[in-house]
Amino acid sequence: MKLSRPLVLLAVGAVVALALLAGIAYIFKLPPFREKGEIKAGEVCSSLGSSSNAVDALTKVLPEESSYSFDENIDLRTDVTDTNFESSCFVAGGGKQLLVAKARLMEDESATSWTQWVKGTASNEVSIQSLTPFTAGDTAVSSSRFAAVFVPCTSAGKAPGGQYNLSVSTELKQEGNTNDAAARDELIKLAKNAASYAHVKAKCDMAPNLGGTS
């Protein structure tokens, strides 16, 4: 069956338009031609723990960007009587903040009280929706955008005020391509690895009860 001239021109025009769009996408590295940046072990924040484990988890959970950058701040605990320890890791890419991981030494408190407090440290309400517990530390909660663990650190009598714990959290600011269950698993891995690092650097004397890190 012969196509009329207008239909032929329309079909040719559609093909040309698609080719132009594909060319533009390729030139400007838009999907599906965007080059995925490599997360290098030497650039990852030390406060995320084992660099190989951190790279693996970050690669799975972060959205695809052409490059990634890491910014870190650590306030080390000087001795066992010091009650200050904090660390933070900020991961950015594509002009956006992608993930934040934080650790802080604080006085021990009930699971309910800590959970309410740690919710307030999240920057996005989406992060703390559907929080469910997981097994780690004294208590731990997570969602597909947030994971936090309260880890025993300094026993009563070693520092002023009684027992101190480490509150460690990871928050995914920009959703990646991973499904919710997988994203939750990777954030838990990052939180547990960051907690393991913080436990050593904060000169803790109590078992962290992390059940192993991956």
Side-chain angles (χ1 to χ4, degrees):
M1 173 175 140
K2 269 183 101 177
L3 293 174
S4 63
R5 182 177 175 80
L7 287 176
V8 171
L9 291 175
L10 185 62
V12 171
V15 171
V16 171
L18 286 172
L20 285 172
L21 288 172
I24 292 170
Y26 178 78
I27 291 170
F28 291 99
K29 303 302 180 186
L30 300 174
F33 301 104
R34 175 184 288 166
E35 293 179 2
K36 184 178 180 181
E38 179 186 359
I39 300 173
K40 298 177 181 178
E43 297 175 357
V44 171
C45 297
S46 60
S47 58
L48 290 179
S50 164
S51 58
S52 60
N53 291 338
V55 167
D56 181 63
L58 290 169
T59 300
K60 292 174 182 175
V61 79
L62 292 179
E64 292 186 7
E65 297 293 345
S66 58
S67 63
Y68 300 92
S69 63
F70 296 83
D71 185 31
E72 181 172 48
N73 295 295
I74 302 178
D75 183 10
L76 291 173
R77 189 179 180 209
T78 55
D79 57 50
V80 294
T81 63
D82 186 7
T83 58
N84 294 309
F85 174 87
E86 287 190 60
S87 69
S88 57
C89 174
F90 302 92
V91 185
K96 303 181 292 292
Q97 195 173 83
L98 305 179
L99 182 139
V100 175
K102 296 179 180 179
R104 176 185 175 183
L105 186 66
M106 58 189 291
E107 289 187 64
D108 182 30
E109 55 186 53
S110 70
T112 300
S113 178
W114 171 78
T115 300
Q116 289 302 316
W117 177 84
V118 82
K119 282 181 178 181
T121 67
S123 64
N124 193 324
E125 184 67 26
V126 174
S127 299
I128 56 173
Q129 290 176 357
S130 304
L131 281 176
T132 56
F134 66 95
T135 303
D138 276 355
T139 187
V141 291
S142 66
S143 70
S144 62
R145 299 284 289 271
F146 187 81
V149 56
F150 203 35
V151 179
C153 179
T154 299
S155 53
K158 292 293 182 68
Q163 180 179 324
Y164 278 75
N165 283 15
L166 286 162
S167 177
V168 183
S169 64
T170 53
E171 181 180 7
L172 183 63
K173 297 293 196 72
Q174 304 292 332
E175 205 168 11
N177 298 323
T178 310
N179 64 52
D180 286 353
R184 178 180 182 271
D185 287 345
E186 299 310 321
L187 288 175
I188 288 173
K189 290 177 185 177
L190 285 169
K192 290 172 71 174
N193 280 314
S196 181
Y197 171 91
H199 193 266
V200 173
K201 294 298 181 179
K203 305 180 187 299
C204 296
D205 62 81
M206 300 178 71
N209 302 325
L210 291 173
T213 54
S214 45

